[in-house]
Amino acid sequence: MVSGNLFHFRRNSWPPEEYINRATLQLLDFDSATPPEQALRRKLNSHASILKEFSITFMEAIKMIRLGIRLWHYVREEASYGRKAPIDPFTRESCKPSATQGVPLGGMGSGSISRGFRGEFRHFQILPGTCETSPMMANQFSIFISRDGGNKKYASVLAPGQHEGLGKSSDQGISSWGWNLTGQHSTYHALFPRAWTIYDGEPDPELKISCRQISPFIPHNYRESSLPTAVFVYTLVNTGKERAKVSLLFTWANSIGGVSHLTGDHVNEPFIGEDGVAGVLLHHKTAKDNPPVTYAIAACETQNVSVSVLPCFGLDEGSCITAKHMWGTMVQDGHFDRENFSKGRSMPSSPGETHCAAVSASTWVEPHGKCTVAFSVAWSSPKVKFCKGKSYHRRYTKYYGTSEKAAKDLVHDALTNYKLWEEEIEKWQNPILQDDRLPEWYKFTLFNELYFLVAGGTVWIDSSLPIEDSSGIKSLIVKNKKAKKNEGRVVHRSAVVVKEAAGSGSDTSADASRRFSDEEDSGTCRNLDGENYFPTPSNKSAEPLNDNDDVGKFLYLEGVEYIMWCTYDVHFYASFALLELFPKIELSIQREFANAVLAEDTRKVKFLAEGNWGIRKVKGAVPHDLGTHDPWHEMNAYNIHDTSRWKDLNPKFVLQVYRDFAATRDFSFGADVWPAVCAAIEYMEQFDRDNDGLIENDGFPDQTYDAWTVHGISTYCGSLWLAALQAAAAMAMQLGDQDFAEKCKGKFIKANAVFEEKLWNGSYFNYDSGSSSNSKSIQADQLAGQWYTAASGLPDLFDEYKIRSALQKIHDFNVMKVRGGRMGAVNGMHPNGKVDETCMQSREIWTGVTYAAAATMIHAGMKEQAFTTAEGIFIAGWSEEGFGYSFQTPEGWTMDGHFRSLIYMRPLSIWGMQWALSPSKTLLEAPKINIMDKTNVASVNENPSHNETAVRKMAKKVGCFSNAVFHCSC
């Protein structure tokens, strides 16, 4: 970990006593009811401002007008088929985004529900690719307290009353509830995957309440982490002299967000399960033939806690039991009739009618006594269906089956196992939380950014085969004949002999002059043998995986506004989180992309930026994403540019594969993906047009900065290419392919000299080698290749002096010249200290890129600059003085704080910082390959840059493997 006191931050930047009375903390200090000191904190009465979205300038609008027109037509065309376009800047949610988000509920991949810091449930993502942002205000916890024989009573919803929608005609009866909480003495604490709300004498001055929210997100646990459930544990401490009867109420609407509760045919059903678990099942019939969803809300009855239910009440005056009547019953009695458990299913709701359910848990708390009450919610949607027809079973069905009754089993297991979950969560988090050398903001931001693995629209399926296609026929993706042929091509998983695999990879180089044929628009997908092929997760290797390694298939969105699965240029940044916490999922995703590299899909696509046509997936090219409406079967949902001409995707694939291989030492994985690595490298040769070993950009935004044009050699793509050549050579050496290693070595040495000659200016690497107004811009991401090189345990790409000089330039200009370093690193900065405003992306601060730059600084031994850089994202995004982006970190923001694309994948790259801080834990003897001295190729670069004034330093040599391909005289 880190050593020494590195930071200039307040040591106690979040003192608990500023938020909660210390005596209250001591009273609650048992059974995990007290939040950790290292947690994000907010008062419940904090102002939740409306977030401001970015806007483009007039000149940017002029440049993008043709793209805008084509995109508008495309969005309308997709809507005519009942589909949502993957990128739709024209449609706005009816609920404006606000600074209200908190820790989401549930594990990964089975749908998610977010819960705001003030207690509202919102952002329902039960159906894949769909996010219903509006809060369901009927979903609440409430409390009813009676003392002194009923002479003192308190009744309140446990959320402050300034929520949007209350008091309007559309609130459907819930304004009759007691919205009495001010939130002045109540505090929210967030440390994903848990959250605490402390009610310090609200609504009863003599009752201290802690509500602890727990979800089963447990690193390296591939079972519990897939479960769609969460637990709410209430700890009650009576500081008064009188005995208090306390009833807690959990209400839930039969809805999956939006207006789904009004569509009709929804049914509620009470249940009593084992171990005192009792509650209500809410069976939801979805629209548009989507799979049904069943909720379970429940509480656990104990010797001291009594549970009762109201299976069904409504939100309008015509309901048999209204929300107002339900509230009145609780105020008067504190519970419902026990006879309600014997009621069967309710009548189906009519269109326009809302069915809700309630679970009450009642207990007596003695003077100066303590009591614990636990609730749980679960949702069972066993089948995930994509827009174009294919359906799969979710991962949790492997353990709970596909019955609608699974929700009842899920809440039971949640209520009986949550303490074990917490033990594992604390065991994982404590070493970081207790490290005094790390700043507090980093500790909780590190864990809280993981919210995206739940709330980022994740889908985790159990099987690689679809349940059925759109016609109801079982889908047979791979013919037996082809499957056997593929099996014959797989090489034995030894650490040495993969010559055959490498050979098959070398046959996959793409013709630079490839043109799509005059086939039908529908096109075809073909494998390497020219057979019709659909690149799906069913293309497994010949050897079956051990059952412990079979983690199913995992998808996560680029962002809730950019609906594309596993966007690869962004996964490059985010994947450190998966590799650190769920490495088997990370390897599974890499296998998917390896399969895709070797496939083609000749169906024609119109690219909206230029209006030209091309084919959907070119053989040898890494796809931009795994699709939107038919993932795995129809990749590259992104259609702004032709990503087969992008220069960063293939190098990023090689780098991620090598990093994962080096970290896991999984030679089976290495052999499986090696043909794709070879193909990815050879595909890129077409972009080395002057045979100098270095690829060139093509004068359009042909990389992840897809609005920022690049000319000639670029520092971003060029450094990625250099790093990919080195990684490919290292992997070839490990897998015994000496010829390919020597080939990559030769290219690297040649290209490295050209890169430095063309781009190094004495203090940093220029944006590109062109002559445009921004060619000499300081790009925050200029050392992306060096980042991965260091993270993978490989020798540095450049001299130590140049690396540190470039990073210092980024720190001094891109970070510190923007609001004094309190916003993160702006993407582009002119050397005169003015922000590069070439396009909207050059002037934006990208959250994930800032974390990546900080990680690179850590690898270079510049820890203080690293944490100063990353702290800007915390200050602007997560702190109370910031813009309110906690638990919805956007892709980026402008210098005035206007966001673009909330809830975005790339900020997970903060785990790249953690990876850099603990290399001994994460890298298992990664290969050390000595790069030939730069002086050996000095003849290639006889005329150093005229700006270079510093003394050239020699890179520190790294010990060689005995069979290293880069020979030296160590």
Side-chain angles (χ1 to χ4, degrees):
M1 297 293 288
V2 225
S3 60
N5 183 9
L6 304 170
F7 318 108
H8 54 82
F9 61 97
R10 289 186 294 159
R11 296 298 298 175
N12 297 305
S13 55
W14 292 78
E17 56 270 22
E18 288 186 9
Y19 294 83
I20 311 173
N21 184 285
R22 185 169 292 278
T24 300
L25 288 173
Q26 292 172 346
L27 287 170
L28 292 170
D29 191 17
F30 72 99
D31 192 32
S32 300
T34 302
E37 290 185 5
Q38 308 89 349
L40 181 76
R41 300 189 182 100
R42 290 198 71 178
K43 287 282 191 182
L44 262 61
N45 65 345
S46 298
H47 176 62
S49 58
I50 300 297
L51 305 181
K52 299 176 182 178
E53 193 167 8
F54 84 107
S55 59
I56 59 176
T57 66
F58 177 76
M59 290 306 299
E60 288 168 349
I62 293 297
K63 291 177 182 177
M64 299 171 68
I65 190 167
R66 290 186 177 87
L67 167 61
I69 292 170
R70 295 187 192 106
L71 183 56
W72 182 73
H73 282 292
Y74 173 68
V75 168
R76 289 189 64 189
E77 181 184 10
E78 286 293 283
S80 70
Y81 293 109
R83 300 191 294 259
K84 185 174 174 63
I87 301 175
D88 178 7
F90 308 106
T91 305
R92 290 289 175 267
E93 297 287 347
S94 57
C95 176
K96 292 183 178 180
S98 59
T100 57
Q101 292 290 76
V103 175
L105 310 180
M108 301 189 298
S110 294
S112 70
I113 303 166
S114 291
R115 190 175 185 224
F117 76 91
R118 296 186 304 195
E120 72 277 19
F121 295 87
R122 61 195 310 153
H123 276 253
F124 289 73
Q125 296 186 82
I126 307 298
L127 304 179
T130 301
C131 181
E132 297 288 356
T133 60
S134 300
M136 282 302 304
M137 295 306 296
N139 297 3
Q140 296 289 345
F141 283 100
S142 304
I143 194 165
F144 304 83
I145 306 160
S146 176
R147 293 178 183 270
D148 189 24
N151 291 325
K152 266 199 271 184
K153 284 192 171 185
Y154 304 90
S156 180
V157 178
L158 286 173
Q162 69 265 32
H163 283 285
E164 58 210 77
L166 290 178
K168 298 180 181 178
S169 58
S170 58
D171 71 11
Q172 298 183 313
I174 61 174
S175 358
S176 61
W177 298 356
W179 298 89
N180 305 316
L181 203 76
T182 66
Q184 182 179 357
H185 301 292
S186 301
T187 319
Y188 180 78
H189 306 251
L191 189 68
F192 179 89
R194 295 187 294 172
W196 293 255
T197 307
I198 306 299
Y199 304 90
D200 191 1
E202 287 190 275
D204 181 346
E206 295 181 328
L207 188 69
K208 310 298 184 183
I209 307 167
S210 168
C211 171
R212 187 162 90 259
Q213 173 187 316
I214 309 147
S215 291
F217 182 97
I218 306 169
H220 307 286
N221 184 325
Y222 296 87
R223 182 186 189 279
E224 308 294 310
S225 298
S226 71
L227 304 185
T229 185
V231 177
F232 303 90
V233 182
Y234 280 85
T235 302
L236 311 171
V237 178
N238 184 2
T239 63
K241 298 178 180 179
E242 299 169 316
R243 192 179 184 215
K245 182 183 180 183
V246 180
S247 296
L248 288 158
L249 177 70
F250 189 19
T251 53
W252 199 265
N254 197 327
S255 170
I256 58 171
V259 295
S260 60
H261 51 291
L262 302 175
T263 55
D265 284 336
H266 310 314
V267 174
N268 294 356
E269 175 186 12
F271 71 88
I272 297 180
E274 299 176 350
D275 302 314
V277 175
V280 182
L281 296 174
L282 298 88
H283 306 288
H284 186 87
K285 183 178 179 181
T286 56
K288 300 179 182 177
D289 296 322
N290 282 306
V293 179
T294 296
Y295 288 105
I297 58 170
C300 192
E301 192 162 76
T302 67
Q303 184 176 359
N304 300 318
V305 178
S306 174
V307 176
S308 60
V309 301
L310 182 62
C312 192
F313 69 90
L315 298 182
D316 56 68
E317 293 300 325
S319 303
C320 180
I321 301 176
T322 65
K324 184 176 182 179
H325 180 265
M326 181 278 300
W327 187 265
T329 299
M330 286 299 299
V331 169
Q332 180 176 330
D333 302 330
H335 60 84
F336 303 113
D337 290 339
R338 295 288 297 183
E339 295 176 359
N340 288 343
F341 280 116
S342 61
K343 294 182 178 178
R345 289 186 168 218
S346 68
M347 293 292 292
S349 63
S350 302
E353 180 185 17
T354 303
H355 273 185
C356 301
V359 175
S360 171
S362 302
T363 186
W364 286 94
V365 188
E366 299 297 326
H368 308 291
K370 301 174 182 179
C371 187
T372 298
V373 179
F375 293 87
S376 179
V377 61
W379 52 97
S380 174
S381 181
K383 188 165 71 170
V384 54
K385 178 183 176 183
F386 294 101
C387 278
K388 291 196 174 178
K390 293 185 179 64
S391 299
Y392 304 85
H393 282 137
R394 296 193 191 261
R395 170 73 175 177
Y396 80 90
T397 63
K398 180 181 180 74
Y399 314 106
Y400 285 86
T402 59
S403 166
E404 62 182 19
K405 299 288 186 181
K408 182 171 73 172
D409 297 330
L410 282 162
V411 290
H412 171 272
D413 290 357
L415 288 167
T416 53
N417 292 329
Y418 73 85
K419 291 185 179 180
L420 297 176
W421 297 349
E422 287 194 286
E423 288 177 10
E424 293 302 311
I425 291 167
E426 289 172 359
K427 189 186 301 182
W428 157 48
Q429 292 184 338
N430 281 344
I432 294 172
L433 297 178
Q434 295 170 3
D435 191 332
D436 291 335
R437 295 163 295 184
L438 295 172
E440 290 185 28
W441 66 261
Y442 171 77
K443 296 174 185 178
F444 59 73
T445 307
L446 176 73
F447 291 115
N448 284 335
E449 288 284 17
L450 291 172
Y451 84 94
F452 189 84
L453 290 177
V454 172
T458 53
V459 170
W460 194 355
I461 63 170
D462 175 43
S463 170
S464 60
L465 288 174
I467 303 168
E468 57 185 24
D469 62 19
S470 56
S471 61
I473 302 172
K474 180 105 173 167
S475 181
L476 299 175
I477 306 301
V478 185
K479 295 179 182 178
N480 289 335
K481 178 180 177 182
K482 184 179 98 46
K484 290 179 180 178
K485 183 177 239 184
N486 279 351
E487 288 178 4
R489 296 168 66 88
V490 174
V491 184
H492 190 268
R493 312 289 201 280
S494 72
V496 183
V497 187
V498 290
K499 293 280 187 180
E500 183 182 342
S504 57
S506 63
D507 292 334
T508 66
S509 58
D511 183 356
S513 61
R514 172 188 302 279
R515 298 179 182 273
F516 59 87
S517 62
D518 294 325
E519 296 177 62
E520 298 181 328
D521 284 358
S522 59
T524 57
C525 300
R526 294 191 178 90
N527 65 8
L528 295 177
D529 302 309
E531 298 172 313
N532 287 354
Y533 166 78
F534 291 92
T536 74
S538 59
N539 294 322
K540 293 183 178 179
S541 56
E543 287 189 2
L545 292 170
N546 182 290
D547 186 61
N548 292 329
D549 294 325
D550 180 12
V551 296
K553 304 298 174 184
F554 187 84
L555 299 170
Y556 65 146
L557 292 175
E558 179 177 340
V560 296
E561 297 176 36
Y562 296 161
I563 309 172
M564 293 165 282
W565 300 110
C566 295
T567 299
Y568 201 73
D569 56 307
V570 186
H571 180 68
F572 173 79
Y573 297 83
S575 57
F576 282 91
L578 285 174
L579 180 59
E580 173 82 24
L581 306 175
F582 296 95
K584 293 178 183 178
I585 289 178
E586 167 63 9
L587 296 189
S588 172
I589 292 173
Q590 300 297 4
R591 282 188 166 99
E592 301 300 337
F593 278 92
N595 287 338
V597 168
L598 304 180
E600 69 176 359
D601 183 344
T602 61
R603 288 174 286 186
K604 295 178 184 177
V605 174
K606 184 176 183 178
F607 301 114
L608 303 179
E610 301 297 333
N612 59 315
W613 289 79
I615 67 174
R616 180 174 290 277
K617 169 65 182 70
V618 175
K619 191 186 328 183
V622 174
H624 172 273
D625 55 77
L626 293 178
T628 291
H629 301 307
D630 194 5
W632 301 296
H633 295 255
E634 187 178 275
M635 292 172 291
N636 282 336
Y638 177 91
N639 61 349
I640 304 297
H641 299 287
D642 181 358
T643 59
S644 69
R645 295 175 59 203
W646 276 19
K647 310 307 184 296
D648 63 337
L649 287 167
N650 281 41
K652 284 176 174 176
F653 170 74
V654 175
L655 287 171
Q656 288 184 73
V657 162
Y658 179 73
R659 178 206 57 191
D660 297 350
F661 171 68
T664 63
R665 308 297 285 162
D666 187 333
F667 281 90
S668 170
F669 166 74
D672 285 346
V673 301
W674 180 241
V677 171
C678 296
I681 289 288
E682 292 175 355
Y683 180 85
M684 294 302 292
E685 293 176 355
Q686 62 182 296
F687 302 118
D688 176 13
R689 298 182 177 88
D690 53 7
N691 198 32
D692 62 357
L694 201 58
I695 60 173
E696 290 90 38
N697 293 83
D698 282 332
F700 76 100
D702 50 357
Q703 26 77 31
T704 194
Y705 299 90
D706 57 352
W708 198 359
T709 299
V710 197
H711 300 276
I713 298 167
S714 72
T715 183
Y716 182 68
C717 297
S719 74
L720 290 172
W721 175 239
L722 291 176
L725 288 172
Q726 185 178 201
M731 191 168 181
M733 178 200 72
Q734 286 292 293
L735 296 175
D737 190 343
Q738 194 78 11
D739 293 342
F740 198 81
E742 291 289 345
K743 175 183 175 181
C744 291
K745 165 197 168 181
K747 283 181 175 294
F748 171 84
I749 294 172
K750 191 175 181 181
N752 186 276
V754 174
F755 183 91
E756 294 196 29
E757 177 189 7
K758 295 289 182 68
L759 297 178
W760 178 250
N761 64 23
S763 59
Y764 64 95
F765 294 97
N766 289 335
Y767 176 68
D768 64 28
S769 62
S771 57
S772 62
S773 61
N774 70 323
S775 289
K776 288 183 169 53
S777 284
I778 308 161
Q779 186 180 15
D781 220 357
Q782 64 184 270
L783 290 179
Q786 171 59 29
W787 174 32
Y788 258 70
T789 294
S792 303
L794 293 169
D796 291 338
L797 296 178
F798 314 111
D799 295 345
E800 180 183 356
Y801 157 72
K802 291 179 179 175
I803 295 169
R804 291 176 65 92
S805 174
L807 291 172
Q808 190 66 49
K809 195 77 172 184
I810 293 166
H811 172 269
D812 294 345
F813 279 69
N814 300 60
V815 177
M816 299 309 295
K817 288 186 182 295
V818 179
R819 302 286 174 88
R822 300 175 67 80
M823 293 197 71
V826 70
N827 283 336
M829 177 73 78
H830 290 297
N832 63 3
K834 293 185 178 180
V835 172
D836 183 346
E837 298 192 350
T838 304
C839 67
M840 65 178 186
Q841 291 178 341
S842 63
R843 60 184 169 89
E844 286 178 330
I845 294 157
W846 281 12
T847 51
V849 168
T850 300
Y851 288 142
T856 313
M857 292 172 185
I858 293 171
H859 284 296
M862 302 169 64
K863 296 186 177 74
E864 185 169 355
Q865 294 92 327
F867 281 92
T868 301
T869 296
E871 189 176 17
I873 301 302
F874 159 73
I875 293 171
W878 288 85
S879 75
E880 284 195 76
E881 64 184 271
F883 302 116
Y885 295 134
S886 51
F887 298 103
Q888 50 189 332
T889 318
E891 176 175 21
W893 48 66
T894 57
M895 284 174 289
D896 57 1
H898 289 217
F899 74 87
R900 185 163 62 80
S901 186
L902 291 173
I903 310 182
Y904 195 75
M905 181 197 293
R906 203 178 332 240
L908 284 171
S909 61
I910 192 173
W911 281 86
M913 294 178 65
Q914 189 61 22
W915 186 271
L917 288 168
S918 50
S920 60
K921 181 181 70 175
T922 52
L923 283 178
L924 305 178
E925 298 181 316
K928 299 290 192 297
I929 303 173
N930 186 65
I931 301 297
M932 187 175 293
D933 255 344
K934 302 294 193 301
T935 54
N936 292 347
V937 290
S939 58
V940 183
N941 186 17
E942 293 178 355
N943 298 313
S945 168
H946 64 277
N947 290 326
E948 185 166 354
T949 57
V951 177
R952 187 185 189 109
K953 291 189 178 181
M954 304 300 293
K956 183 179 178 181
K957 289 195 174 187
V958 184
C960 298
F961 268 41
S962 59
N963 60 339
V965 295
F966 295 156
H967 303 293
C968 71
S969 55
C970 293

